[in-house]
Amino acid sequence: ICDTGPGIPEREFKSIFEEYHQLDNAARERSRGLGLGLSIVSGLGKLLGHRVRVESQPGKGSVFTVDVALSPDGAQDPHDRRSLLKDETSTFAKRQGAAILIVDDDPDIRELLELYLKEEGHYTATAADGVSAMALVTRGDIRPDLVLADYNLPKGMDGLEVGAKLREVLHSQTPVVILTGDISTGTLRDIASFDCVTLRKPVKLTELGQIIERLLPAPVIKLHSSAQIETTKSSFGSVVFVVDDDITICEAMRAILEDDGHKVETYSTSEEFLQTYRRDQEGCLLLDAYLPGMNGIELLRRLHHVNHRLPVIIITGNSEVPMAVRAMKAGAVDLIEKPINPEDLLASVNTAFEQARDSNKLHGSREAAAKAISSLTTRQRQIMALVLAGQPSKNIAADLGISQRTVENHRAAIMEKTGSKSLPALARLALAAHWNDPLELPT
């Protein structure tokens, strides 16, 4: 790419690729851009393995070159089934790092942050305002491990309000980083009163990376014991039935499961599955809760009515406690929320096979659930029952005559003591702990 502009001094060849760096805009006039273009080009080049070079002579112009390697004949199709795991639009995006939600009304800032975070191995979703951010989370498109939000946002919610509402929906103290260029006393006072980290604009990506590393726990690498490997192998040969109307999800799960040695059959509707299913078939059923026609819960109830032997894992993109309770009451052995980590998928399927073939292991998992629930105090069990009944913290506080902050502290303690990462997981644990009478939640 060549131009006949003013050119670039050689001493600036490196700095022009830094974010917000502009040679001819010392006054930082917004109408002349942000100084993000070349930093985005550089970041994309690193992601794609494309070298970016510059040559220039002051007063004559500049030449930018992007080196792109040609694909050799016979190279693997980049759009094969396994590539679905890396597709940012797929709910099976394989996360190397954390799930981070970016909320900023400036598209250039969103693009820069998303580019940087993906380069660091994180799974990202972006929204221009609080309303869009809430929609992403309630639909189950992302369950953020961290929220990165601009303070000044359109449509009635600022970054602090977005962070507070997301924490309430997620039922956890999700880390929030507030980005702001507003240094007024009132703004700084509001931010200081909220449990969050503040980062001044323009954002320095190295500083952002350090903050994220500090806020997020280190990933846990699970090693399989020899006993676990043998158990996994024992499930080979059984069929995993996948019922989901999203062909992308079906094929992604097929690739994961077949690579692990399972046989897989996929169906797009409950009715299609019922037409071919025989009650004496062995296997495991992965079932989307929200299907057209007969939904997943209805199919599960119908199978239960005919005394089926399939362990059923319900898949949902909505973090809804009532749906989780309905699924477990209808006989589901596990519940997975989208987006699904492939390791979590395989662990759930293999555990389902183990429990179906060994009643002692099923009994053991129920005893472990009961032990986790018994570790809670009387007040915590009382609050847990109200939470699982769908009551918001504000109502619980009013009913029990305590502060909302106290309720939130108890909720956080409940999740930590039980090891539950979401409310559906907590509901599953509570129902497993009271398996003698699964139609009643703990009181």
Side-chain angles (χ1 to χ4, degrees), residues 217-385:
V220 178
I221 300 175
K222 298 179 180 179
L223 300 177
H224 294 284
S225 67
S226 58
Q228 288 175 316
I229 294 173
E230 290 302 317
T231 302
T232 300
K233 289 180 179 178
S234 70
S235 66
F236 292 176
S238 297
V239 179
V240 179
F241 303 98
V242 180
V243 185
D244 197 304
D245 60 320
D246 188 324
I247 186 63
T248 301
I249 293 176
C250 277
E251 291 308 309
M253 284 196 284
R254 179 195 292 277
I256 297 167
L257 293 164
E258 287 182 344
D259 282 356
D260 199 51
H262 298 286
K263 297 177 182 177
V264 181
E265 294 181 13
T266 63
Y267 303 88
S268 59
T269 65
S270 298
E271 292 82 359
E272 183 184 355
F273 169 75
L274 285 174
Q275 287 177 359
T276 61
Y277 172 68
R278 302 188 314 275
R279 194 172 65 180
D280 60 343
Q281 284 182 286
E282 290 188 0
C284 175
L285 175 60
L286 282 165
L287 179 60
D288 186 24
Y290 299 95
L291 290 167
M294 184 190 304
N295 65 37
I297 303 299
E298 292 170 346
L299 174 58
L300 184 55
R301 288 171 178 160
R302 180 170 296 194
L303 291 172
H304 183 71
H305 182 70
V306 297
N307 296 318
H308 74 102
R309 296 190 296 175
L310 284 177
V312 179
I313 301 167
I314 290 288
I315 300 173
T316 178
N318 294 318
S319 300
E320 296 180 356
V321 175
M323 191 286 303
V325 172
R326 289 198 302 273
M328 300 304 288
K329 285 181 177 179
V333 299
D334 202 357
L335 183 137
I336 304 179
E337 298 173 81
K338 299 176 183 177
I340 301 172
N341 184 302
E343 292 182 0
D344 293 339
L345 173 66
L346 293 176
S348 182
V349 169
N350 290 325
T351 298
F353 276 124
E354 291 174 27
Q355 293 183 354
R357 291 172 176 169
D358 190 340
S359 59
N360 289 331
K361 290 186 176 179
L362 177 59
H363 181 73
S365 68
R366 287 168 171 169
E367 285 189 334
K371 184 177 180 180
I373 296 298
S374 67
S375 69
L376 303 178
T377 66
T378 302
R379 174 66 86 184
Q380 287 169 348
R381 286 197 291 271
Q382 186 180 26
I383 290 175
M384 181 182 70

Side-chain angles (χ1 to χ4, degrees), residues 181-198:
D182 187 345
I183 58 173
S184 65
T185 303
T187 297
L188 295 179
R189 184 175 58 246
D190 290 343
I191 294 175
S193 65
F194 189 73
D195 181 15
C196 67
V197 174
T198 309

